[in-house]
Amino acid sequence: MSDWPGGARHYAQTPEQISRAEFKLLEALEVFGVQLPSHGRALDLGAAPGGWTRLLLEAGLHVVAVDPANLDPRLHESSRLEHYRGYAETYLEDAVKKHRRFDLIVNDMRMDAREASRVLGQAAPCLRPEGFIISVFKLPHETREIQPLITLKEAMSTLKKYYAIVHARQLFHNRQEVTVIAAQPLTTRA
Ligand SMILES: C[S@@+](CC[C@H](N)C(=O)[O-])C[C@H]1O[C@@H](n2cnc3c(N)ncnc32)[C@H](O)[C@@H]1O
């Protein structure tokens, strides 16, 4: 097996770029053939310093960026950005109660994959029927006791309780992680 059967993707650094994490989102869109919506609302979980948020704003979306850490100051020039300076779990508790809805939910939180899948489960009522999610799942490094694939299977099995998984793959720009695209299950969409 080659390390990168789909080929190694390279993206040019630009002066506007905020983080190298941007390459992960760009690659996911290209490899999975997905287009960002050009309007509507996006929720960015684990947004700081704001690379993904920048790309979502650039696409035309209104973005709620959730992270206890600071966002790059250049982002605050946009009137379509709201920064919730706190944890995703707390934001979602309130968002579910207030019936907040999003066309796109993205997640790049530095968090164990199983925990991230639980947080995305919490976010499921906030995703519009035609919406989708793009999520990175961080995996542990393999040791004698720890098998990253088991962690991944557990995370996927939790995620499947809430979403239909459309793509899941380790991309060139993913390190010890995989990228997943998921949508509302058909029953919810009908
Ligand atoms: C890899 S960085 C995200 C990079 C970002 N996607 C970008 O493009 O700039 C991971 C972020 O997850 C955030 N994070 C970790 N746990 C979180 C939680 N429970 N709620 C919200 N953010 C969290 C960290 O504060 C950190 O800023």
Side-chain angles (χ1 to χ4, degrees):
M1 297 285 283
S2 113
D3 271 354
W4 304 110
R9 256 78 175 176
H10 293 286
Y11 300 97
Q13 280 187 311
T14 60
E16 311 81 60
Q17 186 180 348
I18 288 173
S19 64
R20 285 192 62 78
E22 289 185 30
F23 293 150
K24 290 193 285 191
L25 183 57
L26 291 173
E27 186 183 358
L29 297 172
E30 184 187 338
V31 169
F32 298 137
V34 170
Q35 267 197 325
L36 292 176
S38 58
H39 59 276
R41 290 167 54 75
L43 177 63
D44 186 354
L45 302 174
W52 288 26
T53 291
R54 184 184 82 77
L55 294 171
L56 301 177
L57 289 168
E58 195 178 75
L61 290 155
H62 178 111
V63 182
V64 179
V66 179
D67 205 304
N70 287 339
L71 294 177
D72 187 290
R74 285 172 287 174
L75 291 171
H76 295 293
E77 289 164 19
S78 173
S79 58
R80 285 183 282 109
L81 171 67
E82 273 174 56
H83 180 197
Y84 177 86
R85 196 184 295 274
Y87 292 106
E89 297 86 333
T90 320
Y91 174 80
L92 287 169
E93 227 174 88
D94 190 54
V96 169
K97 273 192 215 142
K98 292 186 173 149
H99 306 285
R100 297 237 162 89
R101 294 288 177 269
F102 295 92
D103 303 278
L104 174 66
I105 298 176
V106 299
N107 163 50
D108 190 22
M109 284 183 290
R110 194 175 304 113
M111 173 183 285
D112 175 271
R114 291 162 297 192
E115 184 56 28
S117 64
R118 283 192 284 272
V119 176
L120 286 169
Q122 197 189 346
C126 298
L127 186 65
R128 284 195 208 283
E130 300 302 327
F132 63 100
I133 68 171
I134 305 175
S135 176
V136 168
F137 285 103
K138 322 258 177 197
L139 300 172
H141 285 277
E142 185 158 356
T143 65
R144 246 187 248 169
E145 294 81 30
I146 298 170
Q147 292 178 18
L149 267 184
I150 293 184
T151 301
L152 181 59
K153 279 185 186 158
E154 287 175 11
M156 291 298 116
S157 127
T158 302
L159 198 69
K160 276 187 201 158
K161 291 183 191 158
Y162 305 95
Y163 302 97
I165 296 174
V166 184
H167 297 285
R169 189 154 140 194
Q170 187 181 26
L171 301 174
F172 176 67
H173 287 96
N174 287 139
R175 291 189 176 147
Q176 189 68 10
E177 52 191 25
V178 295
T179 300
V180 172
I181 309 263
Q184 290 280 23
L186 281 173
T187 45
T188 315
R189 271 182 268 170

